[in-house]
Amino acid sequence: MKNNLFPIFLKTEHLRFLIVGGGNVGLEKVSTLIKQNPSINLKVVAKEFKQELKDVFSQYPSIKYETHTFESSDLEDIDLVIVATDNKETSREVKQKANAKGILVNAADQPDLCDFYLGSIVNKGHLKIAISTNGQSPVMAKRLREYFSDVIPDSIDENIESLNKIRNNHKGDFNQKLTDLNHLTSSFEGKKSTKKYKCLVTEITLIFFALFLGYALSSIVSFSEAKDFVIHIPNVFYIMLAVGFFAQMVDGAVGLGYGVTCSTSMMLFGVNLPSISGSIHTAEMFSSGISGFSHYRFGNVNKKLLLALAIPGVIGAVSGSLLLVYLGNKYETITYGILASYTLIIGIRLIILAFRKKIERKKVKRVGFLGFAGGFLDAFGGGGWGPVVTSTLLAKGKKSNLVVGTVSLAEFFVTLSASLTFFAALGVSHGFIIAGLIIGGALAAPIAAKLAGKIPQKVAILAVAFLVITFSIRILFKIF
């Protein structure tokens, strides 16, 4: 199928629109048009209207609406028609009658009945980008819109206005004007922030991996016994391989669950408390680095939010790590009870999150404190960064893919700082557990990043909550 589309931008103040349909699709199309021009000349007809659409009508009195099925008379004084109904017979009827009057038609989710497509729109002041996939994949167009909306700064409008002033005041001929404007905008080319990030995460990950590997290998008696060493790998390695894979799949796809899943599993195996958190964070540093990089590559990271979370998160992680090292050795039973109770609360919080109804987007206050609290609890409890930070941001109505991606990347720096703290205080212990978590998590991370926003979030969160609550209750019964 050839792409013969010719993109144009219409001045909506000179056109009259008709939308046929009063359901969810009709609401979406009305909202799209009034977002571009609140005073647009718009008429909507439908047999019935959903309440949300009626609320829009009350906010914009300029919109005309009539409660009846489509009639030929509805096309009078109309320039463009949008059919927002899943009834194909109605769509065909509207198209035939509209085309007979020379009126172009768009039929939602019915490309064969469209004379034009409505693209996904990126709007930054004077800058407007319309994205089309030739009617093949509206989801891809939506994803690209979200990506460009995030990476294009709001200050671009000021740049455009400045360039317009320069163009209007330029005294040279057309060629000279074009040359000067090209020179002024040349700085937009070659920005390699993605490459800088790739280098940063890759170098830190490789350095830490080399450090860990070297330390672990130094404990092996001799290289000649490597074959026997592989043969006698304990079953716990394979168990942790599965745990790491499952935990990272959930964490990378929905933004939470890695730490609490791993920590409750390791408590059941009787691993001492500082080693639990230290092992998890050592392993998670690798998987979160891969996951964070994958999310960054797919455009799922908000840079401003990343900095606001990562810096206080690092401070909180170091504080929580040091406290656990002290408490874990002297008050093991009490600390086990505290951590099991904490993971139980996290499990209940996950259930609440899973059944939370969609809410309106709100501004997140005290992001720095949220990052510190998440980092502290994550380091002290062996998990909790995702359940604390991700659930709070999602509860404020933030976009799921940006929340998951940003939190995952911030988690890399949080887990790195916790890992270094545990490494300095305890060294590396439980090598097979760490290796299993690392390999399992690393295998799952790229897959999970691609699945972000696609796996049913409620199902994944409830599965994690069930495991966490079950394991936590079992641990509490063993203690008491």
Side-chain angles (χ1 to χ4, degrees):
M1 180 179 180
K2 292 183 178 180
N3 191 340
N4 297 321
L5 299 177
F6 182 74
I8 60 174
F9 288 90
L10 303 173
K11 293 186 175 181
T12 53
E13 61 267 24
H14 302 314
L15 297 171
R16 296 156 297 183
F17 290 81
L18 170 67
I19 293 179
V20 180
N24 289 324
V25 180
L27 174 62
E28 177 191 348
K29 301 306 179 185
V30 169
S31 300
T32 298
L33 289 178
I34 61 177
K35 184 177 181 180
Q36 306 309 314
N37 182 1
S39 59
I40 193 170
N41 189 335
L42 175 62
K43 176 182 176 182
V44 187
V45 298
K47 189 174 181 180
E48 59 180 349
F49 297 98
K50 66 179 304 178
Q51 185 58 47
E52 290 89 337
L53 195 50
K54 292 180 181 179
D55 294 338
V56 173
F57 295 155
S58 64
Q59 295 176 33
Y60 297 90
S62 61
I63 300 177
K64 302 174 184 176
Y65 64 97
E66 298 177 7
T67 308
H68 61 75
T69 55
F70 170 77
E71 300 172 356
S72 299
S73 59
D74 293 321
L75 297 170
E76 294 180 7
D77 299 323
I78 295 297
D79 297 305
L80 293 169
V81 175
I82 299 173
V83 184
T85 174
D86 57 2
N87 189 320
K88 207 153 190 176
E89 293 301 321
T90 300
S91 300
R92 290 187 184 280
E93 178 189 358
V94 174
K95 178 174 172 57
Q96 290 173 358
K97 293 181 178 180
N99 287 168
K101 292 178 174 288
I103 302 173
L104 300 179
V105 175
N106 169 272
D109 293 326
Q110 300 173 70
D112 56 317
L113 297 180
C114 289
D115 299 313
F116 64 93
Y117 297 134
L118 299 176
S120 288
I121 300 170
V122 179
N123 198 356
K124 295 276 186 175
H126 293 298
L127 178 66
K128 185 165 291 189
I129 303 173
I131 303 169
S132 170
T133 58
N134 204 16
Q136 299 302 297
S137 179
V139 172
M140 175 60 74
K142 179 183 176 182
R143 292 297 185 193
L144 290 172
R145 182 197 69 200
E146 292 172 349
Y147 171 76
F148 285 116
S149 295
D150 183 50
V151 300
I152 297 174
D154 294 333
S155 60
I156 193 71
D157 208 33
E158 298 174 6
N159 297 331
I160 292 174
E161 291 177 355
S162 298
L163 289 171
N164 182 55
K165 290 179 181 178
I166 294 172
R167 186 190 69 172
N168 292 335
N169 296 328
H170 199 290
K171 303 301 182 182
D173 59 19
F174 177 79
N175 289 331
Q176 185 60 46
K177 184 183 295 187
L178 184 61
T179 300
D180 291 344
L181 289 173
N182 283 336
H183 177 72
L184 287 171
T185 57
S186 62
S187 61
F188 292 136
E189 298 179 0
K191 289 190 175 181
K192 305 299 182 182
S193 59
T194 302
K195 287 191 175 180
K196 289 181 180 179
Y197 166 74
K198 289 180 182 178
C199 293
L200 174 64
V201 173
T202 301
E203 289 173 3
I204 293 176
T205 303
L206 289 177
I207 290 172
F208 195 86
F209 181 78
L211 183 65
F212 168 75
L213 187 62
Y215 190 97
L217 287 176
S218 67
S219 64
I220 299 176
V221 175
S222 67
F223 183 77
S224 63
E225 297 180 1
K227 184 177 179 180
D228 292 335
F229 174 77
V230 172
I231 294 174
H232 293 93
I233 292 176
N235 290 333
V236 71
F237 168 79
Y238 301 103
I239 294 173
M240 288 300 123
L241 184 71
V243 170
F245 185 89
F246 171 73
Q248 185 57 42
M249 281 292 291
V250 176
D251 186 81
V254 300
L256 46 84
Y258 184 93
V260 289
T261 301
C262 293
S263 62
T264 48
S265 300
M266 293 171 71
M267 278 191 278
L268 288 174
F269 283 98
V271 181
N272 68 71
L273 295 173
S275 294
I276 287 178
S277 190
S279 299
I280 290 172
H281 285 89
T282 302
E284 194 173 15
M285 198 278 292
F286 298 100
S287 58
S288 64
I290 297 171
S291 179
F293 165 70
S294 301
H295 278 295
Y296 193 96
R297 189 180 63 182
F298 291 121
N300 295 338
V301 174
N302 182 304
K303 297 175 185 177
K304 184 177 179 181
L305 180 60
L306 171 66
L307 291 174
L309 288 173
I311 295 174
V314 167
I315 298 172
V318 173
S319 303
S321 302
L322 293 174
L323 184 63
L324 182 61
V325 168
Y326 175 74
L327 290 180
N329 291 327
K330 291 192 174 184
Y331 308 103
E332 185 170 13
T333 302
I334 296 175
T335 311
Y336 252 120
I338 293 173
L339 295 185
S341 301
Y342 166 67
T343 53
L344 178 63
I345 294 171
I346 290 294
I348 296 171
R349 182 178 173 84
L350 291 177
I351 293 177
I352 295 172
L353 174 64
F355 288 100
R356 189 189 299 274
K357 294 182 179 179
K358 185 177 179 181
I359 58 177
E360 296 181 1
R361 186 174 180 178
K362 299 178 182 178
K363 185 177 180 180
V364 182
K365 299 180 180 179
R366 293 178 288 186
V367 176
F369 177 77
L370 176 64
F372 177 86
F376 180 87
L377 293 172
D378 188 76
F380 185 78
W385 172 261
V388 172
V389 180
T390 302
S391 61
T392 300
L393 293 176
L394 290 177
K396 297 295 183 180
K398 297 293 185 182
K399 291 181 180 178
S400 176
N401 66 312
L402 290 179
V403 168
V404 173
T406 305
V407 172
S408 295
L409 181 51
E411 187 176 24
F412 166 75
F413 299 101
V414 171
T415 54
L416 173 64
S417 59
S419 298
L420 291 174
T421 304
F422 284 118
F423 183 81
L426 304 173
V428 175
S429 59
H430 296 85
F432 284 111
I433 292 176
I434 297 173
L437 293 177
I438 289 174
I439 296 172
L443 291 173
I447 303 172
K450 287 186 178 181
L451 296 176
K454 297 179 182 178
I455 293 178
Q457 196 172 47
K458 181 182 292 187
V459 175
I461 293 175
L462 286 175
V464 175
F466 175 77
L467 289 175
V468 169
I469 291 173
T470 301
F471 291 168
S472 299
I473 292 175
R474 185 175 175 183
I475 292 166
L476 289 172
F477 271 114
K478 285 179 67 176
I479 294 173
F480 300 107

